Amino acid sequence: MPIEIELFTAREDNFGVLVHDNTANVTVSIDAPEEAAIRAALIRKGWTLSHILTTHKHIDHVEANLALKAAFSCTIIGPEGDKDLIPGIDQAVKGGDVLRLGTMDIEVIDTPGHTNACISYYIPSAKAVFTADSLFSLGCGRIFDGTPEMMWASMQRLMALPPQTKIYCGHEYTASNARFALSVDAGNEDLQARAGQVTLLRGEGKPTLPVTLAQELATNPFLRVADAAIRAHLGMESATDDEVFTELRKRKNTF
């Protein structure tokens, strides 16, 4: 297997992710939520950290940057718009950039909304995208610095990826997201089945990731703003997609 992806829990509900290129012996951490959890994963796999790919400035995604850099001399890459707020950053990138790490081409996608400078990382050869706090399984991130219009535009960029793309997000929020999704899309049989799977996984202490984009397109209300049933439930049959997305995000904020 040329590329391996190791998913693990960090902090209270963060996900840590390591991406390892076996051909070039390159190991990338997506964000750095917790030093101990990342070190434990590296030891478990027998890998040495070479890079940290930062998605945004929030502390639960950058807290271990400096400690890991001191330990491994790894290169830290992060969003241009947050470059002054990313501890230890060595290289700033923006949407449209392509990183070549080992044998991996890693595409940078601008996904603002959660913060103004959020980015996601897409690795075509691994058929995987790392969306942090932009796109969640069955949900999307809370909007802090950005606007609903920005976040919807970000969702559309991610929706344009191949349907088989595996999504790795930044937090284990799927169970609570499923409850909200069912409240606005109760008749969706795919969503009902997915919610049942999530309940089983969480009951067994297993992560709900990865999930494919195809699954999300069928079940995530934030990607389904054009759906007639959701629009009817909201009483927004003739609204724009932006307006429906904004209403969904507003409702989720207080759900």
Side-chain angles (χ1 to χ4, degrees), residues 56-106:
H56 66 290
K57 65 187 178 182
H58 287 161
I59 189 65
D60 61 321
H61 293 260
V62 302
E63 188 172 63
N65 275 20
L66 295 180
L68 292 170
K69 188 170 187 176
F72 296 100
S73 299
C74 55
T75 299
I76 299 178
I77 299 169
E80 173 72 32
D82 275 350
K83 64 182 179 181
D84 296 330
L85 301 171
I86 306 297
I89 192 169
D90 297 295
Q91 180 181 350
V93 294
K94 60 185 182 303
D97 290 345
V98 179
L99 299 164
R100 180 73 170 180
L101 303 183
T103 64
M104 299 182 291
D105 285 330
I106 303 176

Side-chain angles (χ1 to χ4, degrees), residues 24-185:
N25 197 29
V26 165
T27 305
V28 173
S29 179
I30 307 297
D31 288 326
E34 183 185 4
E35 181 188 4
I38 294 170
R39 279 180 171 271
L42 290 165
I43 291 169
R44 183 168 63 249
K45 299 298 293 185
W47 298 339
T48 299
L49 187 66
S50 58
H51 298 80
I52 297 172
L53 297 183
T54 304
T55 61
H56 66 290
K57 65 187 178 182
H58 287 161
I59 189 65
D60 61 321
H61 293 260
V62 302
E63 188 172 63
N65 275 20
L66 295 180
L68 292 170
K69 188 170 187 176
F72 296 100
S73 299
C74 55
T75 299
I76 299 178
I77 299 169
E80 173 72 32
D82 275 350
K83 64 182 179 181
D84 296 330
L85 301 171
I86 306 297
I89 192 169
D90 297 295
Q91 180 181 350
V93 294
K94 60 185 182 303
D97 290 345
V98 179
L99 299 164
R100 180 73 170 180
L101 303 183
T103 64
M104 299 182 291
D105 285 330
I106 303 176
E107 300 178 12
V108 181
I109 304 172
D110 279 330
T111 49
H114 181 65
T115 72
N116 282 335
C118 271
I119 56 177
S120 297
Y121 297 95
Y122 172 51
I123 306 179
S125 58
K127 298 180 180 179
V129 64
F130 304 91
T131 60
D133 294 3
S134 295
L135 174 62
F136 288 123
S137 178
L138 296 179
C140 75
R142 188 177 289 270
I143 297 167
F144 288 105
D145 303 341
T147 66
E149 292 78 13
M150 290 168 62
M151 183 66 99
W152 171 235
S154 296
M155 295 300 101
Q156 290 175 278
R157 293 186 194 101
L158 295 170
M159 290 164 68
L161 294 173
Q164 68 271 26
T165 302
K166 296 182 291 292
I167 295 166
Y168 293 84
C169 58
H171 293 269
E172 181 58 272
Y173 291 162
T174 314
S176 60
N177 286 343
R179 289 191 290 273
F180 173 75
L182 286 167
S183 77
V184 297
D185 196 14

